[in-house]
């Protein structure tokens, strides 16, 4: 055993440090990060900064536990996943409040309580999935069976936008399939994951689920670690590419859920007032910090002004504030870097002649608040259109010819989600067939469900999560070919 400290969550003074979990044990470190509340800058608590040695120990623990876990009867593994869902539900109030305090999202409206509820629902769904043996041939020549076997140790690297839900998307299917896990949350939002993993360990054998915290370097070490057999990563395309390079050493399996720049196309004949609320939530769920949020809205010229006006009315009715206040619909952006990025893209649009319909200035006072900003009279080539803003700003682009709108929607090297909005669903389907994305929504945007495979094409990722396909992504195929 290495010489690091093992103890409970209390630090030696100052803010509390939430412990990592390695081999079922709480572990804190001398060095730590203060995690600020994005609504007011106050320190919520501290997170450990793990060393390469901690990571090695977490991987070794996962490796030691994996054989026994894979050999555990399927019904027991399924029951453990059900218990994980139960633990999340029992501790939902604590987890949701911690999530709001470190991430910024509202506790109520489509925020932290919704996320924690989603985490429990996804865990419960994965518990019920089966991995039946397929009989490929059974005749006088041979019996050939296709089995699904765990890949071994899965490394999970998560972002800061939906920390708990994404952690569960990574962890539970991996564990259900007989793997063990080492998870590293984003240094921006480590606390809720540290606490959730600590709670989940009350219903799992030691070593099955380990959590380490730290910065990008630790993610890099995980990607290159020969004790890890698969990386499941959700985050930016740039980081996904780095992970792919460092994963080559031992040919790690990869699931990469990366960034997007989802287009929405509103066809002529659509009633702007009828769709405005759906467009709003498609774009601004989690303050727009959602991988499959609507990030570019293409509107036919015949209804352009009406669409802009309908959206402004909705945006102006949404209260912004600290997520712990019940009325809040729009919270702060999660971190200052993201705030600066949104401000910079809006400023660039303004300088280049775009029209700011509402918002457009950083809010005064403490916290990373940037009001929802709608930007009209903007075209391809503007940074707010071409780059992923991941925040509270939406460019609304006028088009005359639907062919041109489709070409623009497909013009970027990403393809996570997209949407078509129309009064005639058949017309919408024809357009949807030509839009390049992992999911194309019609008259809605961004809806996900545990039974529906979700993933991106082009620069938006490799592989899918959720559903049977998501479970199987945590396995290798093993064939038994038996002569007769
Ligand atoms: P990020 O890529 O900066 O960080 C994600 C995680 O990777 C963090 O835990 C970080 O510490 C770690 N990391 C950083 N450098 C690393 C390296 N070299 N090797 C390994 N790991 C490293 O992303 P972010 O800023 O946290 O999240 C925002 C991005 O994530 C957006 O682009 C968004 O679209 C994307 N995202 C995608 C999905 C999806 O399902 N497709 C979901 C959520 C977010």
């Amino acid at each position: 055993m290495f010489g690091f400290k093992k103890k409970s969550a209390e630090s030696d003074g100052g803010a509390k440090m939430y412990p990592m979990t390695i081999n079922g044990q709480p572990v804190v470190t001398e060095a730590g990060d203060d995690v600020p509340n994005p609504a007011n800058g106050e320190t919520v608590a501290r997170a450990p900064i793990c060393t390469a040695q901690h990571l090695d120990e977490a991987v070794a623990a996962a490796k030691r536990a994996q054989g026994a876990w894979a050999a555990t009867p399927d019904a027991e593994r399924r029951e453990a996943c059900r218990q994980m869902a139960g633990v999340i539900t029992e501790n939902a109030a604590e987890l949701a409040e911690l999530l709001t305090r470190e991430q910024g999202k509202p506790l109520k409206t489509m925020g932290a309580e919704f996320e924690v509820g989603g985490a429990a629902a996804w865990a419960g769904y994965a518990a019920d999935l089966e991995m039946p043996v397929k009989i490929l041939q059974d005749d006088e020549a041979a019996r050939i069976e296709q089995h699904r076997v765990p890949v071994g140790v899965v490394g999970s690297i998560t972002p800061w936008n939906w920390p708990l839900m994404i952690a569960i998307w990574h962890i539970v299917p991996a564990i259900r399939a007989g793997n063990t896990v080492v998870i590293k949350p984003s240094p921006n939002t480590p606390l809720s994951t540290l606490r959730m993993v600590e709670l989940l360990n009350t219903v799992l054998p030691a070593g099955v689920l380990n959590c380490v915290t730290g910065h990008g370097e630790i993610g890099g070490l995980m990607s290159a670690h020969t004790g890890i057999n698969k990386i499941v990563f959700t985050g930016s395309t740039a980081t996904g590419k780095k992970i792919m390079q460092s994963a080559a050493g031992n040919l790690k399996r990869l699931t990469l859920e990366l960034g997007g720049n989802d287009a929405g196309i509103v066809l002529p004949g659509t009633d702007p007032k009828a769709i405005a609320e759906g467009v709003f939530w498609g774009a601004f769920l989690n303050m727009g910090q959602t991988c499959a949020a609507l990030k570019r809205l293409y509107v036919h010229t015949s209804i352009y002004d009406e669409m802009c006006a309908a959206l402004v009315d909705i945006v102006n009715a949404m209260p912004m504030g600290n997520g712990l206040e019940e009325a809040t619909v729009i919270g702060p952006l999660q971190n200052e870097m993201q705030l600066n990025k949104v401000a910079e893209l809006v400023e660039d649009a303004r300088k280049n002649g775009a029209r700011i319909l509402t918002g457009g200035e950083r809010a005064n006072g403490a916290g990373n608040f940037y009001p929802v900003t709608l930007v009209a009279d903007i075209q391809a080539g503007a940074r707010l259109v071409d780059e992923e803003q991941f925040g509270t700003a939406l460019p609304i682009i006028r088009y005359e010819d639907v062919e041109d709108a489709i070409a623009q929607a497909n013009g970027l090297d990403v393809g996570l989600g997209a949407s078509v909005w129309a009064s005639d669903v058949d017309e919408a389907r024809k357009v949807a067939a030509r839009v390049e994305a992992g999911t194309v929504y019609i008259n809605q945007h961004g809806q996900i469900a545990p039974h529906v495979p979700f993933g991106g094409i082009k620069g938006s990722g490799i592989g899918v999560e959720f559903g049977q396909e998501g479970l199987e992504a945590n396995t290798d195929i093993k064939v038994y070919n038996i002569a007769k």
Side-chain angles (χ1 to χ4, degrees):
M1 192 57 68
F2 298 113
F4 50 74
K5 286 208 239 171
K6 286 191 174 176
K7 60 180 194 175
S8 69
E10 300 310 314
S11 72
D12 297 329
K16 163 179 171 173
M17 179 178 274
Y18 279 78
M20 306 189 286
T21 301
I22 298 177
N23 199 29
Q25 298 296 312
V27 176
V28 293
T29 54
E30 292 295 346
D33 279 324
D34 286 341
V35 179
N37 181 336
N40 54 26
E42 289 166 10
T43 298
V44 179
R46 307 189 78 224
I49 298 179
C50 101
T51 61
Q53 217 181 22
H54 292 122
L55 176 63
D56 284 345
E57 175 59 16
V59 174
K63 216 172 165 61
R64 279 196 306 274
Q66 200 268 322
W69 183 243
T72 302
D74 195 59
E76 280 178 39
R77 287 210 308 261
R78 173 188 298 250
E79 181 51 27
C81 293
R82 277 203 200 100
Q83 287 180 6
M84 289 166 78
V87 163
I88 295 168
T89 304
E90 281 156 27
N91 295 280
E94 180 196 345
L95 289 171
E97 190 188 322
L98 185 56
L99 185 55
T100 291
R101 291 172 69 222
E102 74 169 343
Q103 206 282 339
K105 64 182 65 194
L107 185 61
K108 297 290 175 191
T109 320
M110 299 298 279
E113 290 179 355
F114 167 77
E115 177 167 352
V116 174
W122 255 269
Y125 173 80
D128 288 339
L129 286 172
E130 307 263 10
M131 284 191 298
V133 173
K134 277 193 196 161
I135 309 301
L136 305 176
Q137 183 180 330
D138 195 10
D139 55 21
E140 58 289 345
R143 177 178 167 91
I144 306 179
E145 299 172 356
Q146 176 185 303
H147 293 241
R148 288 274 173 185
V149 295
V151 296
V153 176
V154 172
S156 151
I157 304 175
T158 56
W160 47 258
N161 55 347
W162 293 91
L164 287 189
M165 194 128 82
I166 292 174
I168 286 299
W169 295 347
H170 291 188
I171 291 168
V172 183
I175 287 181
R176 172 74 191 91
N179 304 284
T180 53
V181 175
V182 177
I183 183 170
K184 188 202 87 65
S186 164
N188 291 323
T189 52
L191 304 174
S192 49
T193 305
L194 285 164
R195 179 65 181 135
M196 182 173 72
V197 169
E198 193 178 27
L199 291 165
L200 294 176
N201 263 269
T202 61
V203 295
L204 292 170
V208 170
L209 175 58
N210 306 274
C211 181
V212 295
T213 44
H215 297 249
E217 311 83 75
I218 294 299
L221 290 175
M222 286 173 72
S223 314
H225 205 295
T226 52
I228 293 180
N229 306 95
K230 168 179 174 156
I231 293 282
V232 50
F233 168 75
T234 302
S236 62
T237 301
T239 305
K241 287 179 181 171
K242 285 188 202 158
I243 289 176
M244 205 168 171
Q245 279 174 340
S246 27
N250 65 336
L251 289 176
K252 282 185 188 64
R253 282 80 183 110
L254 291 174
T255 299
L256 303 177
E257 300 285 359
L258 309 178
N261 196 341
D262 290 14
I265 301 176
V266 185
L267 296 182
T270 311
D271 176 2
K273 283 204 178 77
I275 66 166
E277 193 164 345
V279 169
F280 171 84
W281 281 112
F284 297 115
L285 179 66
N286 203 31
M287 283 61 72
Q289 303 163 124
T290 299
C291 49
L294 202 172
K295 293 174 182 144
R296 304 174 275 158
L297 186 67
Y298 295 88
V299 182
H300 190 259
T301 187
S302 59
I303 49 170
Y304 186 83
D305 292 335
E306 229 185 311
M307 185 78 246
C308 289
L311 282 172
V312 168
D313 284 349
I314 292 204
V315 166
N316 289 343
M318 299 293 177
M320 181 169 80
N322 185 321
L324 290 178
E325 288 156 17
E326 190 135 341
T328 297
V329 175
I330 299 296
L333 294 172
Q334 202 284 320
N335 56 75
E336 207 167 339
M337 202 182 78
Q338 203 56 45
L339 173 76
N340 291 338
K341 167 113 195 192
V342 171
E344 195 181 303
L345 295 187
V346 171
E347 212 36 57
D348 177 75
R350 193 196 322 260
K351 270 200 206 122
N352 287 293
R355 190 157 50 98
I356 311 295
L357 299 174
T358 184
E361 297 292 344
R362 182 182 176 163
N364 290 325
N368 302 330
F369 290 98
Y370 196 94
V372 173
T373 299
L374 300 173
V375 181
D377 299 340
I378 184 167
Q379 286 90 31
R383 289 185 60 198
L384 184 59
V385 176
D386 291 359
E387 294 179 28
E388 185 187 32
Q389 68 275 45
F390 217 62
T392 35
L394 180 70
I396 309 174
I397 305 124
R398 184 192 298 267
Y399 75 85
E400 299 201 353
D401 178 0
V402 73
E403 290 300 319
D404 182 37
I406 296 170
Q408 289 195 50
N410 291 340
L412 301 178
D413 189 29
V414 282
L416 190 55
S419 55
V420 184
W421 304 75
S423 55
D424 180 342
V425 172
D426 291 336
E427 274 308 303
R429 283 188 76 104
K430 286 184 204 152
V431 175
R434 299 177 54 207
V435 174
E436 297 163 2
T439 305
V440 186
Y441 300 97
I442 293 179
N443 290 333
Q444 55 180 359
H445 195 114
Q447 285 69 13
I448 51 170
H451 60 291
V452 182
F454 174 78
I457 60 170
K458 303 202 282 188
S460 290
I462 295 180
V464 294
E465 294 184 276
F466 316 163
Q468 190 67 24
E469 291 83 353
L471 179 71
E472 289 175 0
N474 290 284
T475 65
D476 284 325
I477 286 178
K478 182 172 185 183
V479 170
Y480 290 92
N481 194 330
I482 306 155
K484 283 207 181 154

